[in-house]
Amino acid sequence: KMFMAYPGVFYATDGEILQAMQRAANGGATIMMHAENGIAIDVLVAQALASGHTDPGWHGRTRPPELEGEATARAIRLAQVAGAPLYIVHLSAQQALNAVTEARDEGRNVFAETCPQYLYLSQDDLDAPEFEGAKYVCSPPVRPKEHWAHLWRGLRTNDLSIVSTDHCPFCFKEQKEMGRGDFSKIPNGIPGVEHRMDLLHQGVVAGELSLARWVEVASTTPARM
């Protein structure tokens, strides 16, 4: 797994990513990519804080879907140059899905997953009053609700192959609360493993997925890959 986000922590440059993809291509491995433009995001975060925007809702506003879409497209092109397969983890936005769909339509060896939080939670949850939004801070962030329909359609068309969780829980007390007064200090992550199957089955109940497709995206495809 590699990160195009989190400069100074996990961030890898395009050159480092290309070299890793070349090694993966030669060794039969698959790169799993967290695709967000971390350099640009850090600029937006600094600008927001300088303007006095400190609430959890700004976590989403400073990580716009366009920067996930850009990073996803860039990762796909780097993988194309390296001749390597690519797996985009926790895809959250229509723009990123468009890049994956285009690559798959071209016959490229590109796969992507989404997670339950991106199918059910939204910017409205990040904007909850009294710091409650901190409970929903993860990266990429949950998006405005209009992205939900695109992700469900992606699961039906197999442009999204898997529903995973990116399970990464933090305690609200003492951990999430570190970000009071500065949203950038809220630990990024929420739980997901326990309720993944039930939440995804609600898509079957709502008519978004067939029962067979539920099994494919939750179990069969992960096992095969």
Side-chain angles (χ1 to χ4, degrees):
K1 183 177 180 181
M2 301 189 75
F3 294 82
M4 304 171 90
Y6 308 121
V9 186
F10 297 125
Y11 174 79
T13 67
D14 285 3
E16 291 163 343
I17 291 168
L18 178 62
Q19 291 178 77
M21 287 176 168
Q22 289 170 335
R23 292 291 294 273
N26 291 332
T30 299
I31 297 291
M32 301 172 66
M33 186 63 71
H34 177 127
E36 289 185 287
N37 188 324
I39 300 295
I41 286 168
D42 275 9
V43 170
L44 295 176
V45 169
Q47 290 173 341
L49 292 173
S51 298
H53 301 305
T54 62
D55 293 337
W58 284 88
H59 172 74
R61 294 185 182 92
T62 55
R63 306 181 86 95
E66 290 81 6
L67 294 185
E68 184 184 349
E70 182 276 330
T72 301
R74 182 157 38 98
I76 289 168
R77 293 308 171 199
L78 290 170
Q80 180 182 350
V81 169
L86 177 65
Y87 183 95
I88 302 294
V89 295
H90 42 60
L91 187 149
S92 73
Q94 176 191 355
Q95 289 86 340
L97 178 57
N98 289 345
V100 171
T101 300
E102 179 182 355
R104 289 175 65 82
D105 287 348
E106 293 173 352
R108 311 226 172 268
N109 204 7
V110 174
F111 306 89
E113 67 176 28
T114 193
C115 305
Q117 59 265 33
Y118 303 125
L119 299 169
Y120 292 104
L121 299 177
S122 75
Q123 179 69 42
D124 293 345
D125 296 292
L126 284 175
D127 286 327
E130 302 298 328
F131 200 64
E132 284 293 298
K135 296 177 180 179
Y136 308 104
V137 168
C138 58
S139 293
V142 294
R143 302 297 185 183
K145 291 179 180 178
E146 55 262 30
H147 290 264
W148 292 352
H150 297 282
L151 299 183
W152 283 114
R153 185 167 64 249
L155 288 170
R156 289 192 296 273
T157 60
N158 201 36
D159 290 313
L160 291 171
S161 303
I162 288 173
V163 176
S164 186
T165 68
D166 200 28
H167 180 82
C168 185
F170 292 94
C171 294
F172 186 69
K173 297 288 185 180
E174 298 180 358
Q175 290 186 309
K176 289 286 189 178
E177 286 190 336
M178 290 190 297
R180 283 191 183 274
D182 183 348
F183 68 87
S184 70
K185 295 181 180 177
I186 301 170
N188 285 204
I190 61 177
V193 163
E194 181 178 0
H195 300 295
R196 178 180 69 112
M197 297 298 286
D198 287 342
L199 286 170
L200 192 54
H201 187 261
Q202 295 307 305
V204 179
V205 175
E208 297 284 2
L209 297 178
S210 69
L211 196 62
R213 186 63 182 153
W214 171 53
V215 175
E216 286 178 353
V217 299
S219 300
T220 311
T221 304
R224 186 172 65 247
M225 290 193 67

